[in-house]
Amino acid sequence: MEIDSNPAACQPLLDYFGKLIPLKQEEKELVEAKFHPHTFAKKQFALQEGKVCDHFDFVVKGCLRLFKVDEKGDYHVFQFATENYWILDLTSFHKRIPSSLNIEALEDTLVLRITHRDLLDLYIHAPKFDRIFRVLLENHFMQQQERIGQLFSSTAEERYLSFLEQYPHLFNRIPNTQIASYLGITPEFLSKIRKNLQAKG
Amino acid sequence: MEIDSNPAACQPLLDYFGKLIPLKQEEKELVEAKFHPHTFAKKQFALQEGKVCDHFDFVVKGCLRLFKVDEKGDYHVFQFATENYWILDLTSFHKRIPSSLNIEALEDTLVLRITHRDLLDLYIHAPKFDRIFRVLLENHFMQQQERIGQLFSSTAEERYLSFLEQYPHLFNRIPNTQIASYLGITPEFLSKIRKNLQAKG
DNA sequence: CTATACCCTTAATCTAGGTTAAGAAATCAG
DNA sequence: CTGATTTCTTAACCTAGATTAAGGGTATAG
């Protein structure tokens, strides 16, 4: 693993915020004070079912998955997070209740992490972040709604194709088992889909 | 239809906001200035596919549904909104693009409506609303995530039962066709489920 | 009061996707 | 380099839920 976890490495996050709304110097310093780097080796968990999710993570490098294990023991991926994405269990984070989800590194990963306490603090000292996190949440919400729409009215093949379109940087980076789990199908069926598609063009 | 659309009738909304974060007098006045009552007769559309959604609606009385019509002509309900719920197509609203969704009244309905322009204005004049709408969005997001989880790992019968639990005020208020459409199944299959459940207890 | 539209149910048949099992290929740890 | 774990594929069979069709019930508008 070659990950630079130099504590001054908040730049990607400052860039990200700056694109949403320009930050003043003091706001930048607040970000540097409140967000801390954290690394995870491949297969390491960033959140384990049953624990309260006390952190809001911004991925600088690598890839994480947010997933649930159901009563039958099947895995379901809610979300992948690569560079410049956010990941957490929002429900556990806000309600301060044990999470029913897990977050696991699919690659060696570096995140910038803020705790619940520090985020509230950030909101108080710099209300601009109320707006930033509102916008960020709006974006997440839209993506989720799109996904519900697809689960309702598209076949697994259609969903696979639109996954390839929407996440071209991901499909050759993570195993097909994970993609299947994101699409809500079995790896066997994804394999069948891929074979069919190949037969076409 | 017996709906009081007296323009001073912002009280339910003020109550709603006040429960999240106490409002100052001037903020209350801003709410009264920016939100306007609007009524819809049963079956009337509050938003039509193809138009930009320019309004954020708070339901005071009645019931609306947010739904999509897919390529095959099938209907899929994303959300019902009754008293004290919000409804809009967030994607169209924020991106200012034509909506692919519809909103229709299932009962005679009264909403308090704010336009896109006025909401931005509200954020500028009273940053507290950045926070309020962030919290509101967090709540919506959590509900949606719960729903994705269910679509992944629960059978239609389980989803029906949890719908009954989660929305006890709704199931005897709207037709089963609508509930089926919310659950992502056909009315015929819902009928079968209800029969099975009756056979049990 | 009636007619029309909507709503609910049943039953037969069909299909997208799951399950089980098993082997081949690729990746990884020591 | 080598054994072990993970991943991918194929194929036979199975099931939740869709589709089609049809009859009866119930609002509701005129």
Side-chain angles (χ1 to χ4, degrees):
Chain A
M1 158 148 66
E2 283 305 324
I3 278 186
D4 171 18
S5 57
N6 164 8
C10 267
Q11 201 50 49
L13 183 53
L14 292 172
D15 290 348
Y16 177 93
F17 285 146
K19 266 179 216 159
L20 291 177
I21 303 177
L23 297 187
K24 292 180 194 152
Q25 187 52 36
E26 70 219 57
E27 288 160 344
K28 289 184 186 172
E29 281 161 16
L30 257 175
V31 168
E32 279 162 357
K34 296 298 192 185
F35 283 88
H36 299 290
H38 242 265
T39 59
F40 298 100
K42 185 170 177 175
K43 294 198 186 172
Q44 199 183 338
F45 279 63
L47 171 66
Q48 208 134 11
E49 202 176 334
K51 307 217 167 146
V52 172
C53 178
D54 191 45
H55 36 80
F56 208 124
D57 287 350
F58 175 82
V59 178
V60 175
K61 176 123 197 53
C63 183
L64 298 165
R65 69 199 254 248
L66 174 68
F67 69 100
K68 147 179 186 184
V69 185
D70 71 18
E71 313 75 46
K72 285 169 38 192
D74 294 336
Y75 290 64
H76 306 281
V77 173
F78 280 87
Q79 189 207 332
F80 297 112
T82 50
E83 289 74 15
N84 284 17
Y85 279 78
W86 296 90
I87 193 162
L88 80 162
D89 175 2
L90 195 87
T91 304
S92 170
F93 185 82
H94 278 113
K95 295 192 177 167
R96 318 295 294 147
I97 57 175
S99 179
S100 54
L101 306 180
N102 301 274
I103 297 177
E104 186 196 0
L106 294 177
E107 303 173 350
D108 294 339
T109 299
L110 167 63
V111 303
L112 288 167
R113 161 169 290 192
I114 189 169
T115 63
H116 186 262
R117 174 81 257 131
D118 276 345
L119 183 59
L120 294 187
D121 236 52
L122 188 67
Y123 288 148
I124 288 165
H125 289 99
K128 189 182 281 178
F129 288 97
D130 273 319
R131 179 163 309 173
I132 287 179
F133 278 81
R134 174 174 59 70
V135 170
L136 195 155
L137 220 61
E138 281 164 8
N139 294 335
H140 261 241
F141 186 91
M142 293 185 234
Q143 274 183 264
Q144 264 201 344
Q145 184 156 294
E146 171 71 22
R147 198 154 174 227
I148 293 181
Q150 283 202 2
L151 285 174
F152 272 140
S153 59
S154 303
T155 63
E157 177 172 315
E158 289 164 345
R159 276 179 278 143
Y160 177 59
L161 288 173
S162 91
F163 176 86
L164 294 185
E165 252 181 69
Q166 210 186 342
Y167 303 102
H169 59 299
L170 261 185
F171 88 98
N172 50 6
R173 193 167 156 182
I174 59 181
N176 282 327
T177 44
Q178 298 301 329
I179 297 180
S181 168
Y182 177 86
L183 297 175
I185 60 178
T186 58
E188 291 86 350
F189 192 59
L190 177 53
S191 199
K192 200 188 258 181
I193 288 173
R194 287 157 52 83
K195 194 183 167 192
N196 286 346
L197 287 175
Q198 222 170 339
K200 292 179 194 171
Chain B
M1 156 145 71
E2 283 304 327
I3 279 187
D4 172 16
S5 58
N6 165 7
C10 268
Q11 202 51 50
L13 182 53
L14 292 172
D15 291 347
Y16 177 92
F17 285 146
K19 265 178 217 160
L20 290 178
I21 305 178
L23 297 186
K24 293 182 193 151
Q25 187 53 35
E26 69 220 57
E27 289 160 343
K28 289 186 186 170
E29 279 160 19
L30 256 175
V31 168
E32 278 161 357
K34 297 296 191 185
F35 283 88
H36 300 291
H38 242 265
T39 59
F40 299 99
K42 186 171 176 171
K43 292 195 188 178
Q44 200 182 337
F45 278 63
L47 170 66
Q48 210 134 10
E49 204 176 330
K51 306 218 167 145
V52 173
C53 179
D54 192 47
H55 35 78
F56 209 125
D57 288 348
F58 176 81
V59 177
V60 175
K61 177 126 196 52
C63 183
L64 298 165
R65 69 198 254 247
L66 174 69
F67 68 101
K68 147 181 187 185
V69 185
D70 69 20
E71 314 73 45
K72 285 169 38 191
D74 293 336
Y75 290 64
H76 306 281
V77 172
F78 280 86
Q79 189 207 333
F80 297 113
T82 50
E83 291 73 16
N84 284 17
Y85 278 79
W86 296 90
I87 193 162
L88 79 160
D89 175 1
L90 195 86
T91 303
S92 170
F93 185 81
H94 278 111
K95 296 192 178 166
R96 318 298 292 151
I97 57 175
S99 179
S100 55
L101 306 180
N102 301 274
I103 297 177
E104 185 195 1
L106 293 177
E107 301 174 350
D108 294 339
T109 299
L110 167 62
V111 303
L112 289 166
R113 161 169 289 190
I114 189 168
T115 64
H116 186 261
R117 175 80 256 131
D118 276 345
L119 183 58
L120 294 188
D121 236 54
L122 188 65
Y123 288 148
I124 289 165
H125 288 99
K128 188 182 284 178
F129 287 98
D130 272 319
R131 178 163 309 173
I132 288 178
F133 278 81
R134 174 174 60 71
V135 171
L136 195 155
L137 220 61
E138 282 164 6
N139 294 334
H140 262 241
F141 186 91
M142 294 184 233
Q143 275 184 264
Q144 265 201 343
Q145 183 156 292
E146 171 71 22
R147 203 159 169 222
I148 292 180
Q150 283 202 1
L151 285 174
F152 272 139
S153 59
S154 303
T155 63
E157 178 172 315
E158 288 164 347
R159 277 179 277 144
Y160 177 60
L161 288 173
S162 91
F163 176 86
L164 294 184
E165 251 182 68
Q166 209 186 343
Y167 303 102
H169 60 297
L170 260 185
F171 87 97
N172 50 6
R173 193 168 157 182
I174 59 180
N176 282 328
T177 43
Q178 298 301 330
I179 297 179
S181 167
Y182 177 86
L183 297 175
I185 59 177
T186 58
E188 290 86 349
F189 191 58
L190 177 53
S191 200
K192 201 188 256 181
I193 288 173
R194 287 156 52 81
K195 194 183 168 191
N196 286 346
L197 286 174
Q198 223 170 341
K200 293 177 195 171

